[in-house]
Amino acid sequence: MSTTAIASDTASSSNTAGHLPKWAPWALLVISFAIAAVIFTFANTGRDPAEFNIAMTLVVGIVLYMVLIFVVSTVAESRRHATDRLMTALVSAAFVVALLPLVSLLYTVVVAGLVRFDAEFFSSSMRNVVGEGGGAVHALWGTVLITLTAAVISVPIGLMTSIYLVEYGQGKKLARGITFLVDVMTGIPSIVAGLFIYSVFALIMGPGTRMGIMGSLALSVLMIPVVVRGSEELLRIVPNELREAAYALGVPKWLTILKVVMPTAIAGITTSIMLAIARVIGETAPLLLTVGMVQSMNTNMFSGQMATLPVFTYMQAKYPGIPAEAFIDRAWASALALILIVMVLNLAARLIAKLFAPKTGR
């Protein structure tokens, strides 16, 4: 037998022999968490059981698992397999660490919010309510109206700006300036947008002016750069061959954009618009400055203050009355309603993207 064949047989045998069974990593993980739990149980002896440190138990268990899987894999398999399993454990641990705050947040909001997540909460306002009872229907309507108006203002401006940047502004100084300003606007704090709109209306209509349309304009300042950047990237990935084919048939440029480019990218553009709405619907600082807060229903965008869910949540938690539990329960229920609205918008974005995505295949 030649030297090459012997080396090949040796390599193949080393790759197949000494491989850990599929259940071994899971068993080591359970053992690691069990050891960590025992350690912290003894450390907590004589104290209140409620003081048991679950977070540190998880951290120590993950560290022990990494050590065990590396040592066991090195002995049973090879150093290469051990390194691979260690890196897999590190990536999985990073994923779990990133996921834990989200899961904890959702669990806390759902459990605390369900206490007042009832029919009265969605059918009553806080007018003449000083203690228990009441609801947030006025804040819910205010959030819907203000966010919808902001979308009506922002989407056309954002889409037309992105169309100019992609289709007409290639290499022009104006396009480069717009791109720079959009990048700057993307990073401005939300309270700056609220202060800007409040200052403009204070100069025109006098200090202390607060209206629903002011909140919509403040949110549109935050939405426009998100819509521009998202739509611009999606328009850029439309193949130039589609444009050239339309031009070869004598179709004018504006009609090519309307009938060829936009339908091709409409699914992604719709998703970016939905995500932009979800990004601003929970803003509190600009709405607190421009819209204010009332305890009764007001659906007139051009007269008087309005209530919104983010500001309602803030005011209920920041300034509780008597009994304080009633105010805190309303704040949690309002936060849960806001999270559900954002979740519905994201699901709608995914559904629209799936429905309007270009069909592939025959």
Side-chain angles (χ1 to χ4, degrees):
M1 183 179 295
S2 63
T3 305
T4 304
I6 295 175
S8 177
D9 292 342
T10 304
S12 61
S13 62
S14 64
N15 287 334
T16 56
H19 190 74
L20 287 176
K22 293 182 179 181
W23 55 265
W26 296 103
L28 292 175
L29 183 64
V30 173
I31 292 172
S32 301
F33 283 130
I35 295 174
V38 170
I39 293 174
F40 282 95
T41 299
F42 279 107
N44 199 49
T45 303
R47 302 179 183 177
D48 186 357
E51 297 179 0
F52 184 80
N53 199 328
I54 298 178
M56 286 302 299
T57 302
L58 294 176
V59 171
V60 173
I62 291 173
V63 173
L64 285 175
Y65 170 73
M66 292 180 184
V67 174
L68 286 176
I69 194 65
F70 183 78
V71 172
V72 172
S73 181
T74 301
V75 174
E77 297 176 316
S78 65
R79 185 62 177 265
R80 179 172 61 84
H81 285 87
T83 304
D84 178 72
R85 292 186 181 277
L86 177 61
M87 296 308 299
T88 302
L90 283 172
V91 172
S92 302
F95 169 75
V96 172
V97 170
L99 193 63
L100 280 177
L102 176 61
V103 174
S104 176
L105 172 66
L106 291 176
Y107 176 79
T108 303
V109 174
V110 170
V111 171
L114 287 177
V115 176
R116 275 303 319 275
F117 215 69
D118 49 28
E120 182 183 7
F121 184 80
F122 291 100
S123 60
S124 303
S125 66
M126 290 299 295
R127 186 175 183 178
N128 299 326
V129 177
V130 294
E132 298 179 350
V137 65
H138 58 310
L140 183 62
W141 274 105
T143 295
V144 171
L145 291 174
I146 291 174
T147 307
L148 182 61
T149 306
V152 171
I153 297 171
S154 305
V155 171
I157 297 175
L159 283 180
M160 287 188 286
T161 302
S162 61
I163 290 172
Y164 171 78
L165 292 175
V166 175
E167 303 294 338
Y168 296 97
Q170 294 288 347
K172 295 182 180 179
K173 292 183 179 180
L174 179 60
R176 290 197 294 268
I178 293 174
T179 301
F180 174 75
L181 290 176
V182 168
D183 291 339
V184 173
M185 289 178 62
T186 304
I188 64 172
S190 60
I191 194 171
V192 175
L195 284 171
F196 169 71
I197 298 299
Y198 178 81
S199 301
V200 171
F201 276 80
L203 292 173
I204 299 173
M205 305 182 65
T209 303
R210 288 183 172 86
M211 295 183 295
I213 190 63
M214 294 172 60
S216 297
L217 291 172
L219 294 183
S220 67
V221 173
L222 302 173
M223 279 186 65
I224 288 174
V226 178
V227 175
V228 171
R229 296 303 293 171
S231 302
E232 180 186 359
E233 295 301 323
L234 290 163
L235 291 175
R236 289 189 187 280
I237 64 175
V238 175
N240 284 327
E241 289 78 4
L242 296 178
R243 299 179 176 90
E244 294 170 356
Y247 298 152
L249 294 174
V251 180
K253 189 168 187 174
W254 69 270
L255 193 57
T256 300
I257 296 171
L258 186 63
K259 296 294 186 179
V260 177
V261 178
M262 292 298 293
T264 304
I266 190 63
I269 291 174
T270 305
T271 302
S272 67
I273 292 171
M274 289 291 186
L275 294 178
I277 294 174
R279 179 250 185 273
V280 302
I281 198 173
E283 291 290 348
T284 305
L287 297 180
L288 191 62
L289 287 171
T290 57
V291 180
M293 180 65 192
V294 291
Q295 304 299 327
S296 57
M297 179 79 74
N298 178 22
T299 57
N300 190 343
M301 295 286 294
F302 299 92
S303 176
Q305 302 184 39
M306 296 179 66
T308 55
L309 283 175
V311 178
F312 178 82
T313 304
Y314 171 77
M315 299 299 290
Q316 291 290 313
K318 181 67 175 179
Y319 304 105
I322 299 174
E325 293 78 9
F327 290 78
I328 300 301
D329 290 342
R330 284 193 292 264
W332 282 116
S334 177
L336 178 59
L338 193 60
I339 289 177
L340 290 177
I341 292 173
V342 174
M343 184 183 69
V344 169
L345 288 175
N346 282 274
L347 292 176
R350 292 180 177 273
L351 180 61
I352 292 172
K354 183 177 180 180
L355 292 177
F356 289 96
K359 301 298 185 292
T360 59
R362 303 180 66 181

